[in-house]
């Protein structure tokens, strides 16, 4: 099996929603290999994480969107569910807290019966001149 992943699209600053197409191409005999899978996307409230969550749902996954920004994660989950008809839930998550990560994984497994896919997308953005950045950040 071979995977090819890419994306294109634009960010709408007014709504915070990314109109993005994530292209996931896979080459195998089973074209429905994601149908019915359970996916957890960290950092899924916006940007590429939201686009990944949408694409996974379009491919047949039930999706958990986990993010620090729970209100935005809930909005994204509702939109993805509306667009795809899949079950999509939001969970608050700070990925720097190992106990929170384990709790969200456990909640996902309890809610859906298992976890098949974990997308570790959460990250931070530090903006500014590189020569003024603190090394420990």
């Amino acid at each position: 099996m071979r995977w090819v992943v890419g994306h294109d699209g634009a960010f709408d600053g007014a709504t915070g929603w990314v109109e993005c197409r994530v292209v996931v191409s896979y080459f195998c005999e089973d074209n429905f290999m994601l149908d019915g899978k359970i996916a957890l996307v960290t950092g899924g409230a916006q940007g590429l994480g939201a686009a990944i969550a949408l694409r996974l749902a379009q491919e047949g996954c039930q999706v958990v969107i986990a993010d620090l920004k729970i209100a935005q994660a809930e909005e994204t989950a509702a939109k993805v569910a509306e667009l795809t008809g899949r079950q999509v839930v939001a969970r608050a998550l700070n990925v720097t807290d190992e106990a929170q990560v384990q709790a969200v994984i456990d909640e996902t497994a309890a809610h859906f019966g298992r976890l098949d896919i974990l997308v570790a997308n959460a990250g931070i953005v530090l903006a500014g001149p590189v020569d003024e950045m603190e090394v420990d950040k």
Side-chain angles (χ1 to χ4, degrees), residues 68-85:
L68 277 172
K69 301 174 184 175
I70 187 60
Q72 193 171 2
E74 289 169 343
E75 290 174 17
T76 301
K79 186 167 185 175
V80 170
E82 178 186 337
L83 291 171
T84 65

Side-chain angles (χ1 to χ4, degrees), residues 28-67:
C28 67
E29 292 180 12
D30 182 3
N31 289 334
F32 301 101
M33 63 186 285
L34 295 180
D35 193 39
K37 299 293 185 184
I38 310 303
L40 168 61
V41 181
T42 67
Q46 64 186 7
L48 185 57
I52 291 168
L54 174 60
R55 185 57 185 208
L56 286 168
Q58 289 170 332
E59 292 293 327
C61 293
Q62 311 299 346
V63 181
V64 177
I65 295 175
D67 204 291

